[in-house]
Amino acid sequence: MATAPDTRTAPRPPARGGGPSRTGALARSAALRWDTAVGALLVAVFTVGLGTTEGFGSGENLAFAFNDIAEVALIALPMTLLVVTGQVDLSVASMLGLGSALTGALWNAGWAFEMIVPVVLLVGVAGGLLNGWLVTRVGLPSLAVTIGTLALYRGLASVALGSDAVTDFPSAYADWAVDTTTIPGTFLTYPVALFAVLAVATGVLLHRTVFGRSLYAIGAQEEAAHFAGIRVKRFKLILFVVSGLVSAFAGIVFTLRYGSARADNGLGFEMLVIASVLLGGVDFDGGRGTLFGAVAGVLLIGVLKNLLTLNDVPNEVQVIVTGLLLVASVLTPRVVTTVAGRRHRRAAGAAPRTEPPEPR
């Protein structure tokens, strides 16, 4: 059975009668896509940084800049899949904090680090299951559910560790989070290299598999996807579980990178994650977006944050810049779509009507 063409990223064919060539239309479509524009903006910001800020292009600074957003980048991968389906998980930063707090509490209790990691990951899975169950089985909206579990998981982190900070983790694991000798001759750390591998795998899953196409179908029209035989609830549940798992793992990475386990670790990271995904052109209503755009959004925020820090811009101003980027990422595509729609309707109204030939 023939499948309908994917209209999310593929350009529409030109109108009959003197329209531009298909090759030209494809080129313009790729050039005007939001994720392509974000990638171009990332290159522009990077170029400006190299030309205006001393030390920006050094291997040491680049290693710090990319490692500084490693946790946000990791969490952004499952968040992209969730947003494509029209869902969101606002509890990711609290799960990161809970993972960090549990790591510290269990280490204080004398547990071996090799035993702590699987326990923390299981807690992440349990948290994702709770979110997914409330959304898919109880029928609550994901925004409301994860606002509630955002507070719940942060509270559990405070119960587990209180206001204490736990340090003195094994040097072998602590070095893993900051070591830049992952690939000789590069500035990649292990967390950044892991993100790169997972990003490629997630991109293939989203854009080259039936599972990924099903996620787009769910985001575009959930009811139609259900009647088409897609297991909508199961797919959503899986994504929430993966989101919780990756967030808990990010808590371990964050703890090792800073050498400190605290209940308030990762506070506010959910805004950075969502800003990165939406900035990359993933539609908050679901059904549209690419992983390339989300990754470009993460890197853009990371590079911009590093550039502002090197130029002694206060953290408060950096938060304002991130907020403005989030607003722009949501508003600009909608304005462009609205303007293009109006132009299309005007052009259709101005086109001469052709009368059907009279019957002989």
Side-chain angles (χ1 to χ4, degrees):
M1 182 176 64
T3 57
D6 187 350
T7 59
R8 291 179 302 273
T9 57
R12 294 187 177 184
R16 295 180 180 178
S21 68
R22 181 172 179 80
T23 302
L26 285 170
R28 281 194 301 276
S29 175
L32 295 177
R33 270 175 36 172
W34 181 260
D35 53 357
T36 306
V38 173
L41 183 58
L42 170 62
V43 174
V45 171
F46 196 85
T47 303
V48 169
L50 290 175
T52 61
T53 305
E54 184 178 357
F56 174 76
S58 67
E60 182 180 359
N61 179 65
L62 292 177
F64 172 81
F66 290 124
N67 211 34
D68 194 40
I69 57 168
E71 299 84 13
V72 172
L74 287 168
I75 298 173
L77 297 178
M79 183 69 78
T80 300
L81 304 184
L82 272 171
V83 177
V84 163
T85 63
Q87 306 298 310
V88 68
D89 185 357
L90 295 178
S91 69
V92 289
S94 296
M95 180 55 71
L96 183 155
L98 179 56
S100 177
L102 278 176
T103 301
L106 295 177
W107 179 251
N108 256 356
W111 284 45
F113 202 82
E114 294 80 5
M115 294 298 297
I116 293 174
V117 172
V119 170
V120 172
L121 296 182
L122 284 174
V123 170
V125 169
L129 273 173
L130 176 60
N131 286 339
W133 181 77
L134 291 173
V135 171
T136 62
R137 303 303 173 183
V138 181
L140 299 176
S142 61
L143 184 65
V145 166
T146 55
I147 285 177
T149 53
L150 176 153
L152 172 63
Y153 300 153
R154 189 65 70 177
L156 290 175
S158 298
V159 170
L161 197 59
S163 58
D164 298 332
V166 178
T167 57
D168 299 326
F169 292 100
S171 58
Y173 292 103
D175 291 343
W176 176 87
V178 295
D179 188 6
T180 58
T181 60
T182 309
I183 302 176
T186 73
F187 51 81
L188 294 179
T189 61
Y190 284 100
V192 174
L194 177 62
F195 162 72
V197 173
L198 292 178
V200 172
T202 306
V204 172
L205 178 69
L206 181 60
H207 298 294
R208 292 291 183 268
T209 67
V210 174
F211 181 83
R213 290 193 291 272
S214 298
L215 299 185
Y216 281 111
I218 293 170
Q221 182 55 259
E222 182 175 321
E223 187 175 356
H226 172 73
F227 285 113
I230 297 174
R231 296 181 177 272
V232 175
K233 292 183 179 181
R234 177 179 295 183
F235 283 11
K236 287 183 182 179
L237 183 64
I238 291 172
L239 295 183
F240 277 109
V241 169
V242 174
S243 180
L245 172 66
V246 174
S247 298
F249 177 73
I252 298 174
V253 174
F254 190 95
T255 300
L256 294 176
R257 188 162 66 86
Y258 283 96
S260 176
R262 294 178 56 91
D264 60 352
N265 276 351
L267 194 65
F269 269 27
E270 65 276 350
M271 187 184 77
L272 284 175
V273 173
I274 294 173
S276 301
V277 172
L278 298 185
L279 179 62
V282 182
D283 196 327
F284 195 71
D285 293 329
R288 285 183 290 184
T290 65
L291 189 76
F292 167 79
V295 171
V298 171
L299 296 180
L300 176 59
I301 288 180
V303 168
L304 191 58
K305 179 183 176 183
N306 179 257
L307 188 58
L308 293 175
T309 301
L310 290 178
N311 285 280
D312 298 323
V313 176
N315 186 64
E316 294 79 4
V317 177
Q318 296 183 31
V319 173
I320 293 174
V321 170
T322 302
L324 290 175
L325 284 174
L326 178 57
V327 172
S329 66
V330 175
L331 183 62
T332 305
R334 296 183 183 276
V335 171
V336 171
T337 301
T338 301
V339 172
R342 289 179 179 176
R343 289 182 176 178
H344 177 73
R345 287 192 295 270
R346 289 176 183 174
R353 298 183 178 180
T354 58
E355 298 294 336
E358 296 183 0
R360 295 182 178 179

